[in-house]
Amino acid sequence: MRVDGRLPDQIRQVTIERHYIKHAEGSVLITVGDTKVICTATIEDKVPPFLRNTGTGWITAEYSMLPRATQQRNQREATKGKLGGRTMEIQRLIGRALRSVVHLPTLGERTIWVDCDVIQADGGTRTASITGSFVALVDALHTLIERGTLEKMPLTDFLAAVSVGVVNEVPVLDLCYEEDSSAKVDMNVVMTGSGKFVEVQGTGEESPFTAEELQNLLFLAQKGIGQLIRTQKDVLGRVGEYVGKI
Amino acid sequence: MRVDGRLPDQIRQVTIERHYIKHAEGSVLITVGDTKVICTATIEDKVPPFLRNTGTGWITAEYSMLPRATQQRNQREATKGKLGGRTMEIQRLIGRALRSVVHLPTLGERTIWVDCDVIQADGGTRTASITGSFVALVDALHTLIERGTLEKMPLTDFLAAVSVGVVNEVPVLDLCYEEDSSAKVDMNVVMTGSGKFVEVQGTGEESPFTAEELQNLLFLAQKGIGQLIRTQKDVLGRVGEYVGKI
Amino acid sequence: MRVDGRLPDQIRQVTIERHYIKHAEGSVLITVGDTKVICTATIEDKVPPFLRNTGTGWITAEYSMLPRATQQRNQREATKGKLGGRTMEIQRLIGRALRSVVHLPTLGERTIWVDCDVIQADGGTRTASITGSFVALVDALHTLIERGTLEKMPLTDFLAAVSVGVVNEVPVLDLCYEEDSSAKVDMNVVMTGSGKFVEVQGTGEESPFTAEELQNLLFLAQKGIGQLIRTQKDVLGRVGEYVGKI
Amino acid sequence: MRVDGRLPDQIRQVTIERHYIKHAEGSVLITVGDTKVICTATIEDKVPPFLRNTGTGWITAEYSMLPRATQQRNQREATKGKLGGRTMEIQRLIGRALRSVVHLPTLGERTIWVDCDVIQADGGTRTASITGSFVALVDALHTLIERGTLEKMPLTDFLAAVSVGVVNEVPVLDLCYEEDSSAKVDMNVVMTGSGKFVEVQGTGEESPFTAEELQNLLFLAQKGIGQLIRTQKDVLGRVGEYVGKI
Amino acid sequence: MRVDGRLPDQIRQVTIERHYIKHAEGSVLITVGDTKVICTATIEDKVPPFLRNTGTGWITAEYSMLPRATQQRNQREATKGKLGGRTMEIQRLIGRALRSVVHLPTLGERTIWVDCDVIQADGGTRTASITGSFVALVDALHTLIERGTLEKMPLTDFLAAVSVGVVNEVPVLDLCYEEDSSAKVDMNVVMTGSGKFVEVQGTGEESPFTAEELQNLLFLAQKGIGQLIRTQKDVLGRVGEYVGKI
Amino acid sequence: MRVDGRLPDQIRQVTIERHYIKHAEGSVLITVGDTKVICTATIEDKVPPFLRNTGTGWITAEYSMLPRATQQRNQREATKGKLGGRTMEIQRLIGRALRSVVHLPTLGERTIWVDCDVIQADGGTRTASITGSFVALVDALHTLIERGTLEKMPLTDFLAAVSVGVVNEVPVLDLCYEEDSSAKVDMNVVMTGSGKFVEVQGTGEESPFTAEELQNLLFLAQKGIGQLIRTQKDVLGRVGEYVGKI
């Protein structure tokens, strides 16, 4: 029995509220249990120097937590004057994951800035950020189509992420903060709608793990991601049907 | 007639949702028209060096905007590696304003960190931050009283803030972003529940103003702040009755 | 009776020495009592990005104190690696105040950098900086006229600033450091030669103030600024006559 | 056939030269093909704040490349004034990986600083850093035992790392730079001497991968790491026998 | 004939005005031709960590130029967020030079902060800083003696500095900016009252120099420093007699 | 007798290994006793802004030490976020020294980046950096000639550097770390193949020195540099014959 009464293979309740910030081309509030993240997607009509005059676009992501998103207040990185290693690692992961399902030449020479701001944290903020910002990205791209700027949706597939881990010797799906703190193995998995892996990041700092444990965890992740993608499809409705038509 | 149909002396609709972030001792979401700010108050059991062993506490504030709170995306200050002048000015103002109604020796040797994070901006973010964070502060201090840590509420009075300005030659109350952009005179006013001024910051960069214009603006501000304080009292209910009993 | 024997409505002795730094287009040493500030105005033939190709110029200001301008040595901001909030606030104020009397299209696409460096501090450094740098600005602009670069003086009016405050329950004009430290209300006022307000920044952190107190302080400020502008006119002589002829 | 003539499951030639820097408690030069990394281990008799008075030690790692370790010169991070995201990610990985085989309470209240400086880069610098710094760590800890400071070796197992990837549709082991640039899937794997996983970091930014591909890559990694650990044992000789006796 | 009519072995006019800043324990305005530097000496009752509990004091120096001390305005290092190499080099030189004539154990566990701020620059700012700050240092130490804090003056000798160089093939003394810009060899020399060298820094970036040229330059420097030390003795009067009595 | 058994006028054993890093246009490992420095020279086809469209090239140098090059580990400057004063001073010296023997117009509009990374330090790292990077520079320029990019070698002369100092009252040549720590006078000298001085930097912080001592030290330096230049010629062989043919 898990700390919040869930079964080992059960994800937390997920809601995704679209059009959350009125100024952004795409924006959602995703809640996964008590974890809440605002994800926005902003379109900019230029690309980083290395892509200029290539006809190819770019997706880049930034991640931050409000100082009191956590149980103890964290000092702001803006006040410290630099980003921490954890933040950099997470925003690199989000950007890489999203790019894996975007056909960048179809996007054309524009950058999409994805901002993930954690309002309240209870474990799984990086995976919720990926799952939520995929929906914000769909909305932002759909805006471009509606404006006639883009002819077709440059997304090749759906994309979502979940954490898995070994807690009290049991492989479990979608860890809350309390579970995460005591997990011996901790893994973040990003997958596409067609069931392929985009990122697998497993860490056994506390205790190395076997090939069999790895299999069990990947199996759980696959199950959870399937459910998350169903939620994305539900909230996107007809707009979601553009995805993968490329 | 104003851009959103209000009368010159009419404030926008205000709501204050308490207990918005589960981890914080005090937290609200304040919405003033389309401006939305999350304000949290965090209690820390130590004080800055200059107050050690004085038996006196401190209130400090930090302010930030999500990158896409505004019409154009703003680069994060954490990414730039430093706080801008506007941010510093605003967080100094919030801290100073709140301290004016806190009896710091009654607070004792603890610091209250007030964090104001603008989720969506449509003018008046600094004044909404003050009005909202006063409520978060009351809740955080009330938590200390309930825990038995504090004997009485160290707040001497209520506190709220509003902007006023001269738009199209007419003095108006509570400017939205569009009005703010075209205002000739722009003023932020912070007042107490008993109608005294805590801060008056008026700027006529576009056009210097007369003593009479100043009077009219202060009169409008007084009216608006009265309404804001009534809203604070409504949402605080019985907890608000502790304020000023010192 | 005030700490230095002045009457409540009496300003300190003011001198403004023009042409203080040989390299600068305009430069003064202003002394207000024991406060001494070097103000220089430098002309640069380009504008910030947001003004390019608009035909419009810009005025920007920077402010600093020598480490030992004060009773206790302050660490240099260059050594700390960043500007403090107080510095940013002051330099934003100086720039905004000066711009209020400059007709920027007449200035044309050039930037004037105003540098205020406090050599010795005894209260009122920001207001002395504004009063002094206005004179440096006149000299720098006059240089442009003499060179034939500028046809007419882009200054619409004179400009000066003074502090006022409530010390020992008495409203007083032009506070020295000792008074400033014990003031209950502290206000900086910037006004034009024609008696209009450009900035009013009043703070009652120690003790909120009434509308009546505010009136008294503004009245004192008006008197002091009148005297400062007379001093500016005296030292500028015939060059001062160009001001306001636009 | 691979670009340098190797078979898909063949690692590059590896040499580990111990005692490379005379001042360090442990130091090696590891060469893996044309990749060369100096790894040093420095013992410091204090721990980070969060471990004080816990009797427990800490391992931390830093990673850097000489500017001309690569084909194009890279700007120094010291000159830029900040560490890049890639550097942070790598040094967090190295530290985490090494800590997984150290029994920190046996180490006692001391920190071991592991420095990995890439002299010449040709792919796989992070995995070479882990494999090399494990040997430097053994030497540094052995120094403590010889000095009588430490009673027994706090290492629970051997540790090495290797990269694997899918290049031209073929899963290959130990990618050189040219292969790495064109790999569709890229994975870094860290394992212990007893064949358990410590880190699995697989990325399919270019092309998501299947569960089967993942299996094949992990299988290759396991083979490569076995060989690397045999090399570690060879160069360590009798000193290596202390490892795992805890 | 030199650009300003001086003979090759003639220094510019030098004045040293003591007690220039009222707050500092020692302070002077030194003018050497058109070069003007404010030098202050501040006493602090603690030492850097490496000297704690050694009974030994420390002298440290900081150097800066006002932005418009030069013909072209220089960006402030505080605005850039870091000190440039030239500034670091100069402040290290000033500190090292002053320490060479201070008996640090006699000073006791206190630090003297020497601040050199260039108000107007016309060549030789680093040497003027050393010559001027020696006088400020004497005054600051004399203050300690008068307060009874220090029993005797910890200065072993007088100290001054001058620049020399080869301009138009002629070795000249005390270069102004115009000469410095066209000098083929440029040398800064610091010497004591008893005619010994403390620093010799000669650079022939434009054109390497012979041993004979070096001799001629050192001979000129010796002459100039003799005159500077006579000026120091004149302005210090009886206070200067304490120097060297150790 | 010196600490390592050398005579006062004897330099340590010097070796220079060319082509040390495969990617760089020029690269050496220089060892002077136990001091080891990797010097690389990188050619970039652009120049700093102040040289654009002048037809003239530039040489710039950067210097760093691995954290454990020294007896105590030094914190990385990349981690601190800024370069220290010592580093800046040294890299300015190396750049200036190398430029003194390069005819920059013959180099044409390109920059050569010289990187000196100290792998192991035992005194004299800055002089070894200059001596070693001269050889790397020759190789990089020779590469340009071989590619046909450059018609002739823009080097006017050979260049090397050595330290001298007064240790136990005896003037000695090429100080190791232990000698350097106890030297009363410390001097770094850079000279050309034709025996002219490029830089003379002597410091008597511990004890001022006489003109005679200075002569003795310069004489020793001259001898040492002669030997170093012979070593450079030996290792360069026929490539060295291009130097000075301009």
Side-chain angles (χ1 to χ4, degrees):
Chain A
M1 192 63 147
R2 296 168 71 176
V3 64
D4 52 8
R6 282 184 289 151
L7 298 173
D9 66 347
Q10 193 181 346
I11 60 169
R12 291 176 287 178
Q13 186 165 354
V14 178
T15 65
I16 301 175
E17 182 181 344
R18 287 165 69 201
H19 312 306
Y20 190 71
I21 299 296
K22 75 168 188 172
H23 304 300
E25 286 76 23
S27 69
V28 312
L29 172 69
I30 182 169
T31 67
V32 180
D34 277 339
T35 289
K36 299 183 186 187
V37 189
I38 296 176
C39 307
T40 64
T42 297
I43 297 158
E44 187 190 31
D45 276 333
K46 60 181 185 185
V47 284
F50 70 93
L51 286 177
R52 271 179 212 148
N53 304 317
T54 61
T56 291
W58 193 243
I59 314 286
T60 192
E62 294 193 355
Y63 168 95
S64 184
M65 292 217 275
L66 295 206
R68 200 54 202 281
T70 47
Q71 255 173 324
Q72 305 298 316
R73 184 181 184 273
N74 287 301
Q75 204 194 343
R76 287 174 196 267
E77 292 179 320
T79 305
K80 286 189 208 166
K82 61 178 178 185
L83 300 179
R86 180 183 172 276
T87 296
M88 291 229 201
E89 212 170 282
I90 293 175
Q91 56 194 29
R92 283 160 59 90
L93 168 65
I94 299 170
R96 218 160 53 217
L98 292 173
R99 285 192 299 272
S100 76
V101 290
V102 180
H103 190 249
L104 296 170
T106 301
L107 174 57
E109 278 203 28
R110 43 184 71 87
T111 298
I112 302 191
W113 292 83
V114 170
D115 287 290
C116 301
D117 287 87
V118 180
I119 297 306
Q120 191 171 276
D122 187 29
T125 63
R126 82 186 68 187
T127 50
S129 294
I130 291 170
T131 304
S133 57
F134 177 79
V135 176
L137 184 60
V138 173
D139 273 329
L141 291 167
H142 187 242
T143 304
L144 288 181
I145 290 171
E146 286 196 321
R147 285 186 199 157
T149 315
L150 216 59
E151 237 173 276
K152 51 183 180 174
M153 178 64 81
L155 291 167
T156 58
D157 204 343
F158 274 79
L159 184 90
V162 81
S163 75
V164 285
V166 178
V167 179
N168 299 328
E169 308 303 325
V170 181
V172 294
L173 176 62
D174 186 22
L175 286 63
C176 67
Y177 178 74
E178 196 178 328
E179 290 175 328
D180 191 57
S181 315
S182 64
K184 287 203 171 168
V185 182
D186 176 30
M187 188 172 297
N188 291 295
V189 181
V190 186
M191 294 182 80
T192 62
S194 55
K196 288 194 170 175
F197 295 104
V198 167
E199 289 272 342
V200 173
Q201 297 199 340
T203 296
E205 180 177 341
E206 294 306 311
S207 153
F209 51 95
T210 62
E212 198 194 330
E213 285 173 309
L214 177 57
Q215 288 320 309
N216 291 338
L217 290 172
L218 293 174
F219 184 80
L220 278 179
Q222 199 163 8
K223 184 176 173 193
I225 286 170
Q227 286 173 281
L228 291 166
I229 287 177
R230 272 193 295 282
T231 302
Q232 290 176 332
K233 288 181 173 167
D234 284 352
V235 302
L236 280 168
R238 295 202 43 175
V239 171
E241 290 171 19
Y242 287 84
V243 176
K245 300 278 172 52
I246 194 168
Chain B
M1 191 66 146
R2 297 169 70 176
V3 63
D4 52 6
R6 282 184 290 152
L7 298 173
D9 65 347
Q10 194 181 345
I11 60 170
R12 290 177 284 179
Q13 187 165 354
V14 178
T15 64
I16 301 175
E17 182 180 345
R18 287 164 69 202
H19 312 305
Y20 189 71
I21 300 297
K22 76 169 188 172
H23 303 301
E25 285 77 21
S27 69
V28 311
L29 172 69
I30 182 169
T31 68
V32 179
D34 276 340
T35 290
K36 299 184 186 186
V37 188
I38 296 176
C39 308
T40 64
T42 297
I43 297 158
E44 187 190 33
D45 276 333
K46 62 179 184 185
V47 284
F50 70 93
L51 286 177
R52 271 179 212 147
N53 304 315
T54 61
T56 291
W58 192 242
I59 312 287
T60 193
E62 293 193 355
Y63 168 95
S64 185
M65 292 217 274
L66 294 206
R68 201 52 203 282
T70 47
Q71 255 172 323
Q72 304 299 317
R73 184 182 183 274
N74 288 299
Q75 204 194 345
R76 287 173 195 270
E77 293 179 319
T79 305
K80 286 189 207 165
K82 61 178 176 184
L83 299 179
R86 180 182 172 276
T87 296
M88 291 230 201
E89 213 169 280
I90 294 175
Q91 55 195 30
R92 283 160 59 90
L93 168 65
I94 301 171
R96 218 160 51 218
L98 292 173
R99 286 193 299 272
S100 76
V101 291
V102 180
H103 190 248
L104 297 168
T106 300
L107 174 58
E109 279 202 26
R110 42 184 71 85
T111 297
I112 302 191
W113 292 82
V114 170
D115 287 292
C116 301
D117 287 87
V118 180
I119 297 308
Q120 191 171 276
D122 187 28
T125 63
R126 79 187 70 186
T127 50
S129 295
I130 291 170
T131 304
S133 57
F134 177 78
V135 176
L137 183 60
V138 172
D139 272 331
L141 290 167
H142 187 241
T143 305
L144 288 182
I145 290 172
E146 285 196 322
R147 283 183 199 158
T149 316
L150 215 57
E151 237 174 275
K152 50 181 181 176
M153 178 64 79
L155 290 168
T156 58
D157 205 342
F158 274 79
L159 185 90
V162 81
S163 73
V164 285
V166 178
V167 180
N168 299 329
E169 307 303 324
V170 181
V172 294
L173 176 62
D174 187 23
L175 285 64
C176 67
Y177 178 73
E178 198 179 327
E179 291 174 327
D180 192 56
S181 313
S182 64
K184 287 205 171 167
V185 182
D186 177 29
M187 189 173 296
N188 291 293
V189 181
V190 187
M191 294 181 81
T192 62
S194 54
K196 287 194 170 173
F197 294 103
V198 166
E199 289 271 343
V200 174
Q201 296 199 342
T203 294
E205 181 177 341
E206 294 307 309
S207 153
F209 50 95
T210 62
E212 199 194 328
E213 285 174 309
L214 178 56
Q215 288 320 310
N216 292 338
L217 292 172
L218 293 175
F219 184 80
L220 278 179
Q222 200 163 7
K223 184 177 172 195
I225 287 172
Q227 286 174 281
L228 292 165
I229 288 177
R230 273 193 295 283
T231 303
Q232 290 175 332
K233 286 181 176 169
D234 284 354
V235 303
L236 280 168
R238 294 203 44 176
V239 171
E241 292 171 19
Y242 286 86
V243 176
K245 301 277 171 54
I246 193 169
Chain C
M1 192 61 148
R2 296 167 71 176
V3 63
D4 51 8
R6 282 185 288 152
L7 298 173
D9 65 348
Q10 193 182 346
I11 60 169
R12 290 177 287 179
Q13 188 166 351
V14 177
T15 63
I16 301 175
E17 183 180 344
R18 287 164 68 203
H19 311 306
Y20 190 71
I21 299 297
K22 75 167 188 174
H23 303 302
E25 286 74 24
S27 68
V28 311
L29 172 69
I30 182 169
T31 68
V32 179
D34 277 340
T35 289
K36 300 183 185 185
V37 188
I38 296 176
C39 307
T40 63
T42 297
I43 297 158
E44 188 190 32
D45 277 332
K46 60 180 185 186
V47 284
F50 70 93
L51 287 177
R52 272 179 212 146
N53 304 317
T54 62
T56 291
W58 193 243
I59 314 285
T60 192
E62 294 193 354
Y63 167 96
S64 185
M65 292 216 275
L66 295 206
R68 200 52 202 283
T70 47
Q71 256 173 323
Q72 305 298 316
R73 184 181 184 274
N74 287 300
Q75 204 194 344
R76 287 174 195 270
E77 292 179 321
T79 306
K80 285 189 209 166
K82 61 177 176 184
L83 299 179
R86 181 184 171 274
T87 295
M88 291 230 201
E89 212 170 282
I90 293 176
Q91 56 195 29
R92 282 161 59 91
L93 168 65
I94 300 170
R96 217 160 53 217
L98 292 173
R99 285 193 299 273
S100 76
V101 291
V102 180
H103 189 249
L104 296 169
T106 301
L107 174 59
E109 278 203 27
R110 42 184 71 85
T111 298
I112 301 191
W113 293 82
V114 170
D115 286 291
C116 301
D117 286 88
V118 180
I119 298 307
Q120 191 171 276
D122 187 29
T125 62
R126 82 186 68 186
T127 51
S129 294
I130 291 170
T131 304
S133 57
F134 177 78
V135 176
L137 184 60
V138 173
D139 272 330
L141 290 168
H142 187 241
T143 304
L144 288 182
I145 289 173
E146 286 197 320
R147 284 186 199 156
T149 315
L150 216 59
E151 237 174 277
K152 50 183 183 174
M153 178 65 78
L155 291 168
T156 57
D157 205 341
F158 275 79
L159 184 90
V162 80
S163 74
V164 285
V166 178
V167 179
N168 299 328
E169 307 303 326
V170 181
V172 294
L173 175 63
D174 187 23
L175 285 64
C176 68
Y177 178 73
E178 198 178 328
E179 290 174 328
D180 191 58
S181 314
S182 64
K184 286 204 171 167
V185 181
D186 175 30
M187 188 173 297
N188 292 295
V189 180
V190 187
M191 293 180 81
T192 62
S194 55
K196 288 193 170 176
F197 294 104
V198 166
E199 288 272 342
V200 173
Q201 296 199 342
T203 295
E205 180 176 343
E206 294 307 310
S207 154
F209 50 96
T210 63
E212 198 194 329
E213 284 174 308
L214 177 57
Q215 288 319 310
N216 291 338
L217 291 172
L218 293 175
F219 184 80
L220 278 178
Q222 199 163 8
K223 184 178 172 192
I225 285 171
Q227 285 173 282
L228 291 166
I229 287 177
R230 272 193 295 283
T231 302
Q232 290 175 333
K233 287 182 175 168
D234 284 353
V235 303
L236 280 168
R238 293 201 46 172
V239 171
E241 291 170 18
Y242 286 85
V243 176
K245 301 277 170 55
I246 193 167
Chain D
M1 193 63 148
R2 296 168 70 176
V3 64
D4 52 7
R6 283 184 288 151
L7 297 174
D9 66 346
Q10 194 181 345
I11 61 170
R12 290 175 288 178
Q13 187 165 352
V14 178
T15 64
I16 300 175
E17 183 180 343
R18 287 164 68 201
H19 311 306
Y20 189 71
I21 299 296
K22 76 168 187 171
H23 303 300
E25 285 77 23
S27 69
V28 311
L29 172 69
I30 182 169
T31 68
V32 179
D34 278 339
T35 290
K36 300 183 184 187
V37 188
I38 297 176
C39 308
T40 63
T42 297
I43 297 158
E44 187 190 32
D45 276 333
K46 61 181 185 185
V47 283
F50 70 93
L51 287 176
R52 273 181 212 145
N53 304 316
T54 61
T56 291
W58 193 242
I59 314 286
T60 192
E62 293 193 354
Y63 167 95
S64 185
M65 292 217 274
L66 294 205
R68 201 53 203 281
T70 46
Q71 255 171 324
Q72 304 299 316
R73 184 180 183 275
N74 287 301
Q75 204 194 345
R76 288 174 194 268
E77 292 179 320
T79 305
K80 284 189 210 166
K82 61 180 178 182
L83 299 179
R86 180 183 172 273
T87 296
M88 291 231 200
E89 212 169 282
I90 293 176
Q91 55 195 28
R92 282 159 60 91
L93 168 65
I94 300 170
R96 217 159 55 216
L98 292 173
R99 285 193 299 273
S100 77
V101 291
V102 180
H103 190 249
L104 296 169
T106 300
L107 174 58
E109 278 201 27
R110 43 185 70 86
T111 298
I112 301 190
W113 292 83
V114 170
D115 287 291
C116 300
D117 286 88
V118 180
I119 298 307
Q120 191 172 275
D122 187 29
T125 63
R126 78 186 71 187
T127 51
S129 294
I130 291 169
T131 304
S133 57
F134 178 79
V135 176
L137 183 60
V138 172
D139 273 329
L141 290 168
H142 187 241
T143 305
L144 287 182
I145 290 172
E146 285 196 322
R147 285 184 198 158
T149 316
L150 216 59
E151 238 174 276
K152 51 182 182 175
M153 178 63 81
L155 290 167
T156 58
D157 205 342
F158 274 80
L159 184 91
V162 80
S163 74
V164 285
V166 178
V167 179
N168 300 328
E169 306 304 324
V170 182
V172 295
L173 176 62
D174 187 22
L175 285 64
C176 67
Y177 177 74
E178 197 178 328
E179 290 174 328
D180 191 56
S181 315
S182 64
K184 287 204 170 168
V185 182
D186 176 29
M187 189 173 296
N188 291 295
V189 180
V190 187
M191 294 182 81
T192 62
S194 55
K196 289 193 168 173
F197 294 103
V198 166
E199 289 272 343
V200 174
Q201 296 198 340
T203 295
E205 179 176 342
E206 294 307 310
S207 153
F209 51 96
T210 63
E212 197 194 331
E213 284 172 309
L214 177 57
Q215 288 319 309
N216 291 339
L217 291 172
L218 293 174
F219 184 80
L220 278 178
Q222 198 164 10
K223 185 177 172 196
I225 285 171
Q227 286 173 281
L228 291 166
I229 287 176
R230 273 193 294 283
T231 302
Q232 290 175 333
K233 287 181 174 168
D234 285 353
V235 303
L236 280 168
R238 295 203 42 177
V239 171
E241 292 172 17
Y242 287 85
V243 175
K245 300 280 171 50
I246 192 169
Chain E
M1 191 63 147
R2 295 167 71 176
V3 63
D4 51 8
R6 282 184 289 152
L7 298 173
D9 66 347
Q10 194 182 344
I11 60 171
R12 292 176 285 179
Q13 188 165 350
V14 178
T15 63
I16 301 175
E17 182 180 345
R18 288 164 67 202
H19 311 307
Y20 189 71
I21 299 297
K22 75 168 189 172
H23 303 301
E25 285 77 20
S27 68
V28 311
L29 172 70
I30 182 169
T31 67
V32 179
D34 276 340
T35 289
K36 300 183 186 186
V37 188
I38 296 175
C39 308
T40 63
T42 297
I43 298 157
E44 188 190 33
D45 277 332
K46 60 180 186 184
V47 285
F50 71 93
L51 287 177
R52 269 178 214 149
N53 305 316
T54 62
T56 290
W58 192 243
I59 314 286
T60 192
E62 293 193 354
Y63 167 96
S64 185
M65 291 216 276
L66 295 205
R68 200 52 202 282
T70 47
Q71 255 172 323
Q72 304 299 316
R73 184 180 184 275
N74 287 301
Q75 204 195 345
R76 288 173 195 270
E77 292 179 320
T79 305
K80 284 188 210 165
K82 62 178 176 183
L83 299 179
R86 181 184 170 274
T87 295
M88 291 230 200
E89 213 169 281
I90 293 176
Q91 56 194 28
R92 282 160 59 92
L93 168 65
I94 299 170
R96 218 159 55 217
L98 292 173
R99 286 193 298 273
S100 78
V101 292
V102 180
H103 190 248
L104 295 169
T106 301
L107 174 58
E109 278 202 26
R110 44 184 70 86
T111 297
I112 301 190
W113 292 83
V114 171
D115 286 291
C116 300
D117 286 88
V118 180
I119 297 306
Q120 191 171 276
D122 187 29
T125 63
R126 78 185 71 187
T127 51
S129 294
I130 291 170
T131 305
S133 58
F134 178 78
V135 176
L137 183 59
V138 173
D139 272 330
L141 290 167
H142 187 241
T143 305
L144 288 182
I145 290 172
E146 285 196 321
R147 284 186 199 157
T149 316
L150 216 58
E151 237 174 276
K152 50 183 182 175
M153 177 64 79
L155 291 168
T156 58
D157 205 341
F158 274 79
L159 184 91
V162 81
S163 74
V164 285
V166 178
V167 179
N168 300 328
E169 305 305 324
V170 181
V172 294
L173 176 62
D174 188 22
L175 285 64
C176 68
Y177 177 74
E178 197 178 328
E179 290 175 327
D180 191 57
S181 314
S182 64
K184 287 205 170 166
V185 182
D186 176 30
M187 188 173 296
N188 291 295
V189 180
V190 187
M191 294 182 80
T192 62
S194 55
K196 288 193 169 174
F197 295 104
V198 166
E199 288 273 343
V200 174
Q201 296 199 341
T203 295
E205 180 176 342
E206 293 306 310
S207 153
F209 51 95
T210 63
E212 199 194 329
E213 285 174 308
L214 177 58
Q215 288 319 310
N216 291 338
L217 291 173
L218 293 174
F219 184 79
L220 277 178
Q222 199 164 8
K223 185 177 170 195
I225 286 171
Q227 286 173 279
L228 291 166
I229 287 177
R230 272 193 294 284
T231 302
Q232 290 176 332
K233 286 182 175 167
D234 285 353
V235 303
L236 279 168
R238 294 202 44 175
V239 171
E241 291 170 20
Y242 286 86
V243 175
K245 301 278 169 54
I246 193 168
Chain F
M1 192 61 147
R2 295 168 71 177
V3 63
D4 52 7
R6 283 184 289 151
L7 297 173
D9 65 348
Q10 194 181 346
I11 60 169
R12 291 176 286 178
Q13 187 165 352
V14 177
T15 64
I16 300 175
E17 183 180 343
R18 286 165 68 202
H19 311 306
Y20 189 71
I21 299 297
K22 76 168 187 172
H23 303 302
E25 285 76 22
S27 70
V28 311
L29 172 69
I30 182 169
T31 67
V32 179
D34 277 339
T35 290
K36 300 184 185 185
V37 188
I38 296 176
C39 307
T40 63
T42 297
I43 297 158
E44 187 191 31
D45 276 333
K46 61 180 184 185
V47 284
F50 71 93
L51 287 177
R52 270 178 214 148
N53 305 316
T54 62
T56 292
W58 192 242
I59 313 286
T60 192
E62 293 193 355
Y63 167 95
S64 185
M65 292 217 274
L66 295 205
R68 200 53 202 282
T70 47
Q71 257 173 322
Q72 305 298 316
R73 185 181 183 275
N74 288 299
Q75 203 194 343
R76 286 173 196 268
E77 292 179 320
T79 306
K80 285 188 209 167
K82 63 178 176 185
L83 300 179
R86 180 183 172 276
T87 295
M88 291 231 201
E89 212 170 282
I90 293 175
Q91 55 196 30
R92 281 160 60 91
L93 169 65
I94 299 170
R96 217 160 52 218
L98 292 172
R99 286 192 300 271
S100 76
V101 291
V102 180
H103 190 249
L104 297 169
T106 301
L107 173 58
E109 278 202 28
R110 43 185 70 86
T111 297
I112 302 191
W113 292 83
V114 170
D115 287 291
C116 301
D117 286 88
V118 180
I119 297 308
Q120 190 170 275
D122 187 28
T125 62
R126 81 186 70 187
T127 50
S129 294
I130 291 170
T131 304
S133 56
F134 177 79
V135 176
L137 183 60
V138 173
D139 273 330
L141 290 167
H142 187 241
T143 306
L144 287 182
I145 290 171
E146 286 196 321
R147 285 185 198 156
T149 315
L150 216 57
E151 236 173 277
K152 50 182 181 174
M153 178 63 80
L155 290 168
T156 58
D157 205 343
F158 274 79
L159 183 91
V162 80
S163 74
V164 286
V166 178
V167 179
N168 300 327
E169 307 303 324
V170 181
V172 295
L173 176 63
D174 187 23
L175 285 64
C176 68
Y177 178 73
E178 197 179 327
E179 291 175 328
D180 192 57
S181 314
S182 63
K184 288 203 169 168
V185 182
D186 175 30
M187 189 173 296
N188 290 296
V189 181
V190 186
M191 294 181 80
T192 63
S194 55
K196 288 195 170 173
F197 295 104
V198 166
E199 288 271 343
V200 174
Q201 296 198 342
T203 295
E205 180 176 342
E206 294 306 311
S207 154
F209 50 95
T210 63
E212 199 194 328
E213 284 173 310
L214 177 58
Q215 288 318 310
N216 291 340
L217 291 172
L218 292 175
F219 184 80
L220 278 178
Q222 199 164 7
K223 185 178 171 192
I225 286 171
Q227 286 174 281
L228 291 166
I229 288 177
R230 273 194 294 282
T231 303
Q232 289 176 333
K233 288 182 174 167
D234 284 354
V235 302
L236 280 168
R238 294 202 45 174
V239 172
E241 291 171 18
Y242 286 86
V243 176
K245 300 277 171 54
I246 193 168

